[in-house]
Amino acid sequence: AQTVTQSQPEMSVQEAETVTLSCTYDTSENNYYLFWYKQPPSRQMILVIRQEAYKQQNATENRFSVNFQKAAKSFSLKISDSQLGDTAMYFCAFGGSGGSNYKLTFGKGTLLTVNP
Amino acid sequence: EAGVVQSPRYKIIEKKQPVAFWCNPISGHNTLYWYLQNLGQGPELLIRYENEEAVDDSQLPKDRFSAERLKGVDSTLKIQPAELGDSAVYLCASSLGLAAQETQYFGPGTRLLVL
């Protein structure tokens, strides 16, 4: 079974600065997907960024980028130019190769607070 | 385009009472998921539907939990009877299909408190 570990329960950053959230995972699969989801205080979870394991290039979405290290099974999220609206719980999630056995496995989350 | 709709948003019941949650997925999304999110934890899958068929209900406690997705659109999750430990947020999500690259879109959740 896959496991996802987020070792930072809470983090804080000053507005406009950069912060990196850590995630490691364990799997025996070779093809898979990794996700970062954001859950603001209103609790609607939204996708921030996605990485396909067979792609070596790190995914980037505006101020959000990942550092994907497949051999180390590491998938960190970097948020540049942090904004107050980035305050939220961030969940790292692992998605297998698909099909009837497909499901997302989430980490426990990191609470990020952006301070003015 | 409307997102995933869930109701009610909050529910307080006494233990041993029944409770039901409703979810309306994004139009055209064939796959629907119910997740349980305990305080301070990530979501955990309870059941997944492909159209009206439950393709994975291995994590659903079938002694007290049941779910249905009639006509492959709306879905209802029921707990009967509720226990104190069922207090949590119940999230519904939907996606176009089961493929791993399909984004799951989440609803706002139903926060359940069992007294």
Side-chain angles (χ1 to χ4, degrees):
Chain A
Q2 288 81 15
T3 59
V4 177
T5 302
Q6 293 181 249
S7 59
Q8 305 151 315
E10 294 186 36
M11 293 191 72
S12 62
V13 64
Q14 291 301 119
E15 196 174 6
E17 293 186 347
T18 296
V19 63
T20 298
L21 309 183
S22 301
C23 173
T24 58
Y25 59 94
D26 188 25
T27 183
S28 57
E29 297 188 42
N30 192 44
N31 293 324
Y32 48 87
Y33 291 78
L34 294 163
F35 307 84
W36 278 99
Y37 277 87
K38 169 185 178 182
Q39 191 175 38
S42 65
R43 303 200 71 86
Q44 189 134 13
M45 196 172 305
I46 57 173
L47 179 67
V48 174
I49 197 165
R50 166 175 47 207
Q51 176 77 40
E52 298 165 65
Y54 65 87
K55 289 187 176 179
Q56 291 189 343
Q57 186 173 4
N58 289 324
T60 300
E61 289 286 345
N62 300 315
R63 298 182 296 107
F64 299 88
S65 62
V66 300
N67 182 4
F68 173 49
Q69 302 289 329
K70 190 173 183 179
K73 296 181 181 176
S74 170
F75 182 60
S76 61
L77 174 69
K78 186 172 81 170
I79 305 174
S80 303
D81 185 25
S82 297
Q83 301 176 359
L84 296 179
D86 294 333
T87 293
M89 281 289 289
Y90 286 82
F91 291 97
C92 177
F94 174 96
S97 54
S100 60
N101 293 323
Y102 176 75
K103 71 172 186 178
L104 282 181
T105 301
F106 287 85
K108 292 186 176 183
T110 296
L111 177 60
L112 175 68
T113 302
V114 180
N115 299 309
Chain B
E1 177 182 294
V4 176
V5 179
Q6 289 187 248
S7 69
R9 293 293 309 277
Y10 304 91
K11 189 74 176 179
I12 301 174
I13 61 171
E14 293 187 349
K15 63 180 180 181
K16 302 185 181 180
Q17 294 300 307
V19 65
F21 315 124
W22 175 80
C23 173
N24 181 244
I26 293 173
S27 177
H29 281 196
N30 296 324
T31 308
L32 183 145
Y33 312 77
W34 281 103
Y35 287 90
L36 167 67
Q37 186 175 22
N38 286 306
L39 186 64
Q41 304 290 322
E44 298 175 23
L45 182 69
L46 287 172
I47 189 169
R48 180 174 69 240
Y49 281 93
E50 180 67 14
N51 296 308
E52 65 274 10
E53 180 184 1
V55 296
D56 183 359
D57 63 355
S58 58
Q59 302 302 312
L60 190 72
K62 298 181 183 63
D63 56 336
R64 298 184 300 108
F65 286 66
S66 64
E68 61 182 11
R69 191 185 184 195
L70 300 177
K71 301 182 180 179
V73 181
D74 295 3
S75 178
T76 302
L77 178 68
K78 299 178 182 178
I79 308 174
Q80 183 172 9
E83 297 179 352
L84 296 177
D86 296 331
S87 296
V89 176
Y90 293 82
L91 297 171
C92 179
S94 70
S95 64
L96 280 173
L98 274 178
Q101 65 268 30
E102 297 290 353
T103 297
Q104 292 188 28
Y105 295 86
F106 285 80
T110 296
R111 184 184 296 270
L112 174 67
L113 178 60
V114 182
L115 302 176

